Amino acid sequence: GENVEQHPSTLSVQEGDSAVIKCTYSDSASNYFPWYKQELGKRPQLIIDIRSNVGEKKDQRIAVTLNKTAKHFSLHITETQPEDSAVYFCAATDSWGKLQFGAGTQVVVTP
Amino acid sequence: NAGVTQTPKFQVLKTGQSMTLQCAQDMNHEYMSWYRQDPGMGLRLIHYSVGAGITDQGEVPNGYNVSRSTTEDFPLRLLSAAPSQTSVYFCASSSEGGRKTQYFGPGTRLLVL
């Protein structure tokens, strides 16, 4: 089955700096890669996703890149703000259509 | 729309007790799933359903049962609770399995003593 690895597990950044979270996946048939944000005590919510026919997608300060050859995808947050502090999960859909999540990255943005 | 709802919000059980976690959605989604969330382990799929009457196992199904008699409801049953089942449980629904946005419920925090 699909295996998704996510790094780093914690990331501390200064407000205004950029944050990058990287994920790798194992199933070459995976074609959908969403990112979820979970604030403390809340439910995970989708922030951005990318499909395998696209190499990059951007939404304001958030961007995701996908390298299918290397089976890597990354989340980039620019001009970080305190409200970006949360746990971020990457995920990949396996060949059966099930979503496999990474272990999560705790992002802390310090003023 | 209420989206995805879960009850209870918090539950304490003793080892060996049984209980049912309720999940309902009002978005007419065919796909529903249950995840458990443990520190450092992300969200792990317990069971899922692609429509009424159809369920299947996920990554960590042992100790849990599910049924899907209606499109709206997808309850998760713990038959004989164990301390290893202490976790936060999230129900989610989607219009197309794992290939579309998962809408999560607010979660149930379960403590098994």
Side-chain angles (χ1 to χ4, degrees), chain A residues 1-68:
Chain A
E2 176 72 277
N3 183 42
V4 177
E5 295 194 357
Q6 182 172 349
H7 300 279
S9 56
T10 58
L11 181 59
S12 184
V13 295
Q14 204 76 12
E15 183 177 357
D17 287 350
S18 295
V20 181
I21 303 169
K22 297 183 179 182
C23 290
T24 62
Y25 62 97
S26 61
D27 188 346
S28 56
S30 293
N31 58 12
Y32 177 63
F33 307 91
W35 287 86
Y36 285 81
K37 176 183 179 182
Q38 185 180 28
E39 297 175 354
L40 187 62
K42 300 289 181 64
R43 69 191 81 185
Q45 290 190 299
L46 180 76
I47 55 171
I48 195 167
D49 57 11
I50 191 168
R51 297 192 184 272
S52 59
N53 58 347
V54 175
E56 184 173 356
K57 184 176 179 180
K58 191 173 181 181
D59 182 4
Q60 299 183 332
R61 296 186 297 108
I62 292 173
V64 57
T65 58
L66 172 65
N67 182 330
K68 284 214 71 179

Side-chain angles (χ1 to χ4, degrees), chain B residues 10-63:
Chain B
F10 180 69
Q11 183 72 45
V12 179
L13 289 179
K14 294 181 180 178
T15 297
Q17 286 185 318
S18 63
M19 79 161 296
T20 299
L21 281 63
Q22 301 292 345
C23 174
Q25 52 92 10
D26 61 0
M27 296 176 281
N28 202 31
H29 285 166
E30 291 295 328
Y31 186 89
M32 296 185 74
S33 53
W34 277 101
Y35 294 89
R36 61 176 289 173
Q37 183 174 30
D38 303 293
M41 303 189 75
L43 294 148
R44 292 183 292 167
L45 183 64
I46 304 171
H47 285 286
Y48 66 99
S49 168
V50 298
I54 306 169
T55 64
D56 205 348
Q57 297 180 351
E59 183 184 353
V60 288
N62 292 344

Side-chain angles (χ1 to χ4, degrees), chain A residues 85-96:
Chain A
S85 295
V87 177
Y88 292 81
F89 294 98
C90 63
T93 301
D94 68 17
S95 49
W96 298 97

